Amino acid sequence: MQLLCSYEYFKNICDLEKKEIEINIDPFVFEEMLHYIITGRLSPTISFDALKTLIQVSYTYTIKDLLLECEEHLIQDVSITTVIDLFFLAFSIDADNLKAYTTKFFKFYLKEIVCRVNAPSVAIAPILAIFVIY
């Protein structure tokens, strides 16, 4: 519990001196979060889907170093088939590094992405609007 209390969200709970706290997280993802908090590293076998959930959890519970670590790993997984999903994820949780990388990737590979995923122009329109803003 001491390690968890070093993070802002959990520190506030610890300051209230609660004996029990309820966290609504998938047990596997919670285990990955604890693994990171204890070791300072992500599990080498963590899946792409678990990383996407873990980055959302790190955002929700303000575990900034875990968020940055997840961003770094997800950036390595950006491809023509994953960029749309990661692009929207990055913008939904304000993951600045992932946001910047997916935006550049999208701009560079736009034709290939549209052709590869058979994305109708309606699906691409919100992304192009973000490019103008970002």
Side-chain angles (χ1 to χ4, degrees), residues 1-6 10 13-14 18-21 34:
M1 188 71 157
Q2 190 76 10
L3 285 172
L4 277 177
C5 290
S6 65
F10 297 105
I13 293 171
C14 293
K18 285 190 169 187
K19 300 276 188 229
E20 290 184 27
I21 58 173
L34 287 179

Side-chain angles (χ1 to χ4, degrees), residues 6-108:
S6 65
Y7 293 95
E8 184 179 330
Y9 177 88
F10 297 105
K11 183 181 182 315
N12 294 333
I13 293 171
C14 293
D15 289 347
L16 296 174
E17 298 181 11
K18 285 190 169 187
K19 300 276 188 229
E20 290 184 27
I21 58 173
E22 186 175 322
I23 301 173
N24 189 16
I25 302 174
D26 174 90
F28 177 76
V29 174
F30 184 73
E31 185 178 319
E32 288 293 333
M33 181 181 78
L34 287 179
H35 175 76
Y36 178 82
I37 289 170
I38 292 167
T39 66
R41 291 178 288 189
L42 292 173
S43 169
T45 58
I46 190 167
S47 71
F48 177 72
D49 289 332
L51 264 173
K52 291 190 309 183
T53 304
L54 190 58
I55 196 170
Q56 292 170 318
V57 167
S58 65
Y59 175 77
T60 301
Y61 295 107
T62 60
I63 305 174
K64 294 176 184 174
D65 51 339
L66 177 56
L67 186 138
L68 292 171
E69 188 74 20
C70 289
E71 276 187 292
E72 188 176 305
H73 280 74
L74 287 170
I75 284 170
Q76 295 173 14
D77 287 330
V78 173
S79 69
I80 289 172
T81 57
T82 64
V83 69
I84 293 174
D85 189 28
L86 293 176
F87 179 85
F88 283 115
L89 174 63
F91 276 85
S92 73
I93 62 170
D94 222 12
D96 292 334
N97 296 329
L98 187 57
K99 193 186 304 183
Y101 189 85
T102 55
T103 300
K104 288 177 187 171
F105 189 94
F106 216 109
K107 287 178 180 178
F108 192 75

